[in-house]
Amino acid sequence: MTESVREKLIATAASLFQKQGVRATGLAEILRVSQTPKGSLYYYFPHGKDELTKAAIAYAGAQSENRVKRTLASDADPTKAFTHLFQEMADDIAASGHLNHVSISLIALETIDEPELQSACAQVYSRLEILYTSKLIEIGIKDDVARDLGQFIQATTEGTVTIAATKQQPKLLLKTAKQVTTLIRLTLANQKA
């Protein structure tokens, strides 16, 4: 299926924002990279860059959410599923050297003073927390504990992804995966005790 002009603009903006940041990416660059005419940008996004940024956040968030859903569903054992997820992220950072389709943390940090864009980022983070929490509840971790652990996994993932990309050390994600899986096992063992 052919990608629409609007979708091309959003995907290009999301990719560039994740690589180099929102402020460092101009509309002219988005148009050039997406190979779309200037009129298309203002046709689809009459309110300019903020409107496009919000759409790019939703797009990038959906990419991350789809990855997490798919990977967590790939194995009933959450320790294996989380290990696969962190491995995929490490592989992506190793291949590209940046956060594309792995994290929206660069976008989130740059939009902290813009409430509407910050809210869009917060919604992505909340949906990811829910995915992690749901996987933990599936294996029998109590709801309140699973929510806390899901939030911790989300925060740890975002932090590690950012550090791994910054240091160009994607294997840091594998170390984090080991710690997360240990924590999951300990939580399950404590509940049974």
Side-chain angles (χ1 to χ4, degrees):
M1 186 166 132
T2 306
E3 189 177 37
S4 76
V5 172
R6 183 178 190 280
E7 290 167 339
K8 192 186 295 187
L9 285 166
I10 293 169
T12 301
S15 178
L16 290 171
F17 294 161
Q18 290 171 315
K19 287 178 191 174
Q20 58 197 35
V22 175
R23 292 187 176 115
T25 305
L27 293 176
E29 183 178 14
I30 294 168
L31 290 168
R32 181 181 50 76
V33 173
S34 67
Q35 299 179 337
T36 56
K38 187 175 186 177
S40 297
L41 179 71
Y42 292 104
Y43 175 78
Y44 291 109
F45 303 99
H47 300 288
K49 190 172 180 180
D50 280 354
E51 187 176 10
L52 176 57
T53 302
K54 189 173 180 183
I57 291 167
Y59 174 85
Q63 298 294 313
S64 293
E65 290 169 51
N66 288 338
R67 170 191 296 238
V68 169
K69 281 180 195 172
R70 176 183 42 78
T71 307
L72 292 183
S74 71
D75 202 310
D77 179 346
T79 60
K80 289 180 183 175
F82 278 108
T83 299
H84 293 298
L85 179 63
F86 280 84
Q87 180 68 58
E88 281 185 15
M89 291 178 186
D91 292 345
D92 283 355
I93 290 173
S96 69
H98 54 78
L99 304 177
N100 199 25
H101 304 311
V102 177
S103 170
I104 63 161
S105 60
L106 183 57
I107 299 171
L109 288 172
E110 281 199 298
T111 59
I112 204 153
D113 58 344
E114 300 175 46
E116 192 173 331
L117 298 177
Q118 196 64 43
S119 175
C121 291
Q123 290 171 25
V124 171
Y125 288 145
S126 293
R127 288 191 299 271
L128 289 168
E129 285 176 25
I130 290 167
L131 292 174
Y132 297 140
T133 299
S134 297
K135 184 67 174 182
L136 298 169
I137 290 170
E138 270 179 37
I139 60 159
I141 294 178
K142 295 176 186 171
D143 290 10
D144 57 334
V145 175
R147 274 192 301 279
D148 289 346
L149 187 52
Q151 182 181 31
F152 175 79
I153 291 169
Q154 172 57 28
T156 301
T157 302
E158 286 299 319
T160 305
V161 163
T162 301
I163 293 167
T166 301
K167 289 185 167 186
Q168 290 299 294
Q169 295 178 359
K171 291 189 187 239
L172 291 174
L173 282 154
L174 305 181
K175 291 179 181 181
T176 299
K178 186 175 179 181
Q179 296 304 314
V180 165
T181 57
T182 298
L183 188 54
I184 292 169
R185 286 185 188 113
L186 287 171
T187 302
L188 282 168
N190 284 339
Q191 277 191 185
K192 293 177 184 175

